[in-house]
Amino acid sequence: MPLSEDFLQKLKDANPIENVVSSYVRLRRTGRNLVGLCPFHGEKTPSFVLYPENDSFYCFGCGAGGDTITFIRRIENLDYLEAVRMLAQRAGLEMPEDARRADGTGRIKLRILEANRLSARWFHAQLLAPIGADALAYLHTRQLTDATIRHFGLGFAPDSWDGLTNFLRGQGFSDAELVTAGLVSQNSQKTRIYDRFRGRVIFPIIDVRGNVIGFSGRVLDKSEPKYLNTAETMVFEKGRGLFALNFAKSAGGDRLLLAEGPMDVIALHQAGFPFAVATQGTALTAQQAQLMTHYAKEVIICYDADGAGRKATQRAIPILRSVGLQVRVLTIPEGKDPDEFIKTRGADRFRILLDGSGNDVEYQLSQIRQRYDGDTDDGRIHILSEAAALLAGLSNPVEADVYAGRLATEFHVQKETLLTQIAGLRRRRRKSDETREYRQIVREAGGTRDDVNPERAQHMRAARAEEALIAYLMRNPDRAAAVRAALPPERMVTSFNRGLYDRITRYIAEQPSSINGTVPLSALSGDYSPDEMARAARILAMNADGGNVRAAEADYIRVINEEFDRITPQQAAEATDAQLLDMMEALRRKKS
């Protein structure tokens, strides 16, 4: 690992995990720890726990965990050194020279970004050249001005197999680099490469730092696929970024306007709504919603008014709500999309729609009303039943009470009756959510899809003792030498725990000055993957209330030695059920 312990300690001191995570997640304190909604998966009940005392986090819902560096790696989609660099810049620290030289992955990403930058310039030049006349005419028929075309850097990919390929080769890029950048495709034998984008208008995708990370290409005719994105690369994941966020991030105050595609976004920007963004040809993801929280408190959904748009709106609302965003829905009349509406009715009429857009609950209630005839008894029953289910999912009881009162007045029923139904649905939903979360924990505990420590399922009793001992040593490093003498690493039963135990005990022996009461989880970051860091964080979290006394230490060593000497499948199976119950009880304690 090219980073010194001295530098890592400065990095850790300058970036307390509570400060870093709170810029992405709304946290509330519960005793010594903090909890919030996990930014790595959608949830309504907080499962994400932050442990300031050992600079770690763990989500009991999805299993994400680690230290501050791991958190940045996951949420920003960075490798280890990139995450360290980002935290160093945040704290005003200079990266060590040896780390800069060792950053091979960083150099590859810089080559991809440079290839993308040159490609964007080439695409734009083709649009303005005679070969791009039809494409430019198409954009003009969509009423885009030359200024808007320049602002977004729009381009054209000629219907050629090797136009871009030959250009980038001439700029010094190898074929392997072009494949890595996702700018070219390969034939099935991987003996030839050819341009990925051909005969398409090109929309550069630019991140909030101003880097061209990919492209989206639209056909000029009715052929399919209508849009084609850059293949996912080291710098581009279509489920993480948002088109035009580089412009929108500071244009709308505390709000963003979420549209379906690039053409809608560009039309909105040109019409005077520069806070519009769009997903990259996919349904909204939890990562994209979390990204919006960095720049807005409110999101106005502005999808097409057709059936697909309504379904996409219904899917997006809970995702946006789950990260704490306020949600409004702009409904465009006559089944039009934003681009078409602005062309036919004008920007002023669109602004009236924007200002008059209702919140997401009002929108969903209106959709329920439209499905049934409220003048009939059956229709009213269906409306009230579905409305109760909707209100039962609201986290704010005051909000649910207000809408229950309105519905009771509208449909001439007792408000108390509706609130009783809502309360019952809420209880059943809470129980269902808890059952699902416990089943997830059971699956993880049982070794299902355990790529980090696959031997755990067959040696549960040994693994639990190993993990308890590892957590004990991280909190009591002064006992490491004696414990290692009594239990050499090779006596550990499962491979991952064996390596972790060896790494921690050696770290304690070699870096005593870096330990201030406990072993920092950051001691592992440079050598362990995010998934392995998550397992280390899980070990700490699941053994937070474990024994910290010499008697517990002796018990852990005894169990591990017993299992190493004579473990059998029968004994492992008998231990499994009891250990799963222990884990479920630990989860209940964490969330209470």
Side-chain angles (χ1 to χ4, degrees), residues 51-227:
Y51 303 93
E53 65 179 13
N54 58 30
D55 293 304
S56 71
F57 72 93
Y58 184 72
C59 175
F60 289 86
C62 69
D67 67 334
T68 312
I69 298 173
T70 312
F71 180 85
I72 291 297
R73 289 185 69 176
R74 282 187 177 273
I75 204 159
E76 295 287 351
N77 192 30
L78 303 174
D79 65 24
Y80 174 73
L81 284 175
E82 286 177 319
V84 170
R85 184 183 299 107
M86 181 175 175
L87 289 169
Q89 290 173 347
R90 181 180 185 272
L93 297 175
E94 184 175 348
M95 287 287 287
E97 177 62 29
D98 54 351
R100 291 198 292 270
R101 287 196 302 267
D103 192 2
T105 301
R107 288 196 296 272
I108 294 172
K109 289 186 175 181
L110 287 175
R111 289 290 285 173
I112 294 174
L113 293 175
E114 177 63 10
N116 286 344
R117 185 185 69 84
L118 292 172
S119 297
R121 293 178 61 182
W122 187 83
F123 286 135
H124 186 67
Q126 303 311 299
L127 179 67
L128 302 181
I131 197 172
D134 289 344
L136 185 61
Y138 166 78
L139 294 174
H140 286 159
T141 63
R142 299 297 298 262
Q143 298 183 19
L144 298 186
T145 67
D146 290 338
T148 296
I149 291 170
R150 287 194 301 272
H151 180 67
F152 283 91
L154 304 186
F156 174 63
D159 194 5
S160 163
W161 290 103
D162 56 8
L164 179 64
T165 298
N166 288 335
F167 168 74
L168 291 173
R169 283 170 172 166
Q171 298 297 313
F173 288 91
S174 68
D175 289 0
E177 287 177 320
L178 300 185
V179 172
T180 302
L183 293 166
V184 301
S185 300
Q186 292 179 300
N187 62 2
S188 57
Q189 293 80 28
K190 297 185 177 181
T191 57
R192 184 173 65 87
I193 65 171
Y194 52 90
D195 291 0
R196 179 175 177 82
F197 299 101
R198 302 182 305 279
R200 292 174 180 267
V201 171
I202 298 296
F203 303 87
I205 301 168
I206 302 172
D207 67 13
V208 293
R209 301 178 183 91
N211 298 311
V212 180
I213 58 174
F215 301 92
S216 182
R218 189 195 191 285
V219 293
L220 299 174
D221 52 25
K222 300 293 185 181
S223 60
E224 296 291 338
K226 184 177 179 180
Y227 281 95

Side-chain angles (χ1 to χ4, degrees), residues 205-266:
I205 301 168
I206 302 172
D207 67 13
V208 293
R209 301 178 183 91
N211 298 311
V212 180
I213 58 174
F215 301 92
S216 182
R218 189 195 191 285
V219 293
L220 299 174
D221 52 25
K222 300 293 185 181
S223 60
E224 296 291 338
K226 184 177 179 180
Y227 281 95
L228 178 68
N229 287 321
T230 296
E232 295 201 350
T233 69
M234 297 172 69
V235 302
F236 175 69
E237 278 188 62
K238 61 184 179 181
R240 285 185 174 270
L242 291 163
F243 180 76
L245 184 61
N246 55 310
F247 298 128
K249 62 180 182 179
S250 57
D254 288 333
R255 62 179 179 168
L256 289 171
L257 185 59
L258 178 61
E260 282 195 26
M263 284 304 302
D264 284 332
V265 167
I266 294 172

Side-chain angles (χ1 to χ4, degrees), residues 271-288:
F273 307 97
F275 48 95
V277 297
T279 55
Q280 310 288 355
T282 61
L284 182 72
T285 66
Q287 292 92 340
Q288 289 167 331

